[in-house]
Amino acid sequence: MKILVLGASGQLGHLLVQVGERRGLTVLGTYRSHPRAGLLQLDLLDFEATRHTIQHIRPDWVVNCASWTWVDGNEDDPQRAQRENVDTVAVAAAAVTESDARWCYLSSSYVFDGTSGRPYTEEDTMSPISVYARTKVQSEEISRTYFGSDALIVRTIVVWGPD
């Protein structure tokens, strides 16, 4: 199995590449502005470059970890949040539809307002209360628009690891 991890210079993407490689999978990762050894540079706002990369690599899965996760920064700069958390997803999803790859989008539990008093399920209504959360909701909607029920959307709570 061949997996392409978008946003592999970030904490989660980096760990996914490492874990995949340890399990014997072929895992390739991309970065935009924070290079790490062995990763491919890719601007996810560039449709042609993204499409070319996906067509060249021919992955079985594309896992989108690319995101601007600084919640306070998203509040201060909603235009950047839109560009980095939504527009990049739209470009990547459109490019993936021109391949045979499956799609996995890494979202966040921030899509919920935290007031339910019980654990959330996939069926619960999203109620974002921040710019960051709204961008995650939009990106989930983009994922569903392009891939329907085949979209794999993973909502993380807190990401931590050895780094």
Side-chain angles (χ1 to χ4, degrees):
M1 177 176 295
K2 190 185 296 183
I3 301 170
L4 177 61
V5 177
L6 306 176
S9 63
Q11 183 182 6
L12 181 59
H14 178 69
L15 290 172
L16 286 176
V17 169
Q18 288 181 328
V19 169
E21 289 173 343
R22 279 196 297 256
R23 294 185 182 222
L25 302 172
T26 301
V27 185
L28 301 164
T30 70
Y31 74 92
R32 186 195 60 185
S33 58
H34 300 291
R36 286 193 187 225
L39 300 182
L40 306 167
Q41 187 169 21
L42 179 63
D43 178 358
L44 291 175
L45 291 172
D46 183 337
F47 175 77
E48 289 303 322
T50 303
R51 183 175 64 143
H52 174 76
T53 298
I54 291 167
Q55 288 178 349
H56 177 73
I57 292 171
R58 299 181 58 201
D60 298 297
W61 279 90
V62 174
V63 180
N64 190 344
C65 297
S67 184
W68 186 33
T69 59
W70 181 31
V71 176
D72 292 340
N74 278 251
E75 290 298 318
D76 294 339
D77 192 347
Q79 290 80 21
R80 178 179 174 192
Q82 178 73 27
R83 190 173 55 253
E84 294 193 22
N85 295 343
V86 180
D87 298 347
T88 57
V89 173
V91 168
V96 170
T97 62
E98 295 188 14
S99 74
D100 292 329
R102 304 276 316 269
W103 174 259
C104 176
Y105 174 68
L106 274 291
S107 187
S108 170
S109 62
Y110 275 72
V111 299
F112 301 116
D113 62 14
T115 62
S116 78
R118 60 167 177 72
Y120 287 97
T121 70
E122 296 85 7
E123 290 79 27
D124 286 326
T125 302
M126 294 182 283
S127 53
I129 59 173
S130 68
V131 170
Y132 174 72
R134 285 190 292 277
T135 66
K136 289 300 190 175
V137 168
Q138 287 178 282
S139 293
E140 285 192 22
E141 291 169 353
I142 289 167
S143 296
R144 285 187 207 90
T145 296
Y146 278 99
F147 303 100
S149 62
D150 287 336
L152 176 59
I153 298 171
V154 178
R155 294 179 180 143
T156 62
I157 296 175
V158 175
V159 177
W160 60 274
D163 294 337

